[in-house]
Amino acid sequence: MVRAPGVTAEPSGDRTVVLDAEATTMSTLNPVGALLFAQLVTPHTAAQLVEVLRRQFPDVPVTTLESDVDSFLAQMRSAGLIVPADADG
């Protein structure tokens, strides 16, 4: 997955505000979501994102991280903020 074309992300305190290209969808990401979204400047698989979180949170069970990444990706894709890497242009 990768950020959809035209999507912008701006830090706001410990959160990140993400706006779609048409400025119709605004999402506010918590610090973990912001960390994941920052990775999606370049294409990443779910497994790669889990590894990012595993390095950041080594005491959290991998199954929890996988569930969190899957949920995050589903929400971002539903909002049109990320697309499959082969569809980014």
Side-chain angles (χ1 to χ4, degrees):
M1 300 300 289
V2 67
R3 289 184 190 182
V7 169
T8 60
E10 293 294 328
S12 179
D14 67 345
R15 301 192 178 273
T16 296
V17 176
V18 180
L19 193 62
D20 72 346
E22 291 80 34
T24 58
T25 301
M26 182 177 78
S27 298
T28 302
L29 305 177
N30 65 24
V32 173
L35 172 66
L36 292 174
F37 199 75
Q39 304 303 308
L40 295 174
V41 171
T42 59
H44 281 72
T45 64
Q48 289 170 322
L49 294 174
V50 168
E51 181 59 23
V52 168
L53 291 185
R54 191 192 63 72
R55 286 192 304 266
Q56 199 74 19
F57 306 102
D59 296 332
V60 176
V62 172
T63 55
T64 300
L65 299 176
E66 290 169 342
S67 176
D68 290 350
V69 166
D70 289 345
S71 177
F72 171 80
L73 292 176
Q75 290 174 7
M76 292 295 100
R77 192 167 186 182
S78 175
L81 300 174
I82 62 173
V83 295
D86 59 359
D88 67 339

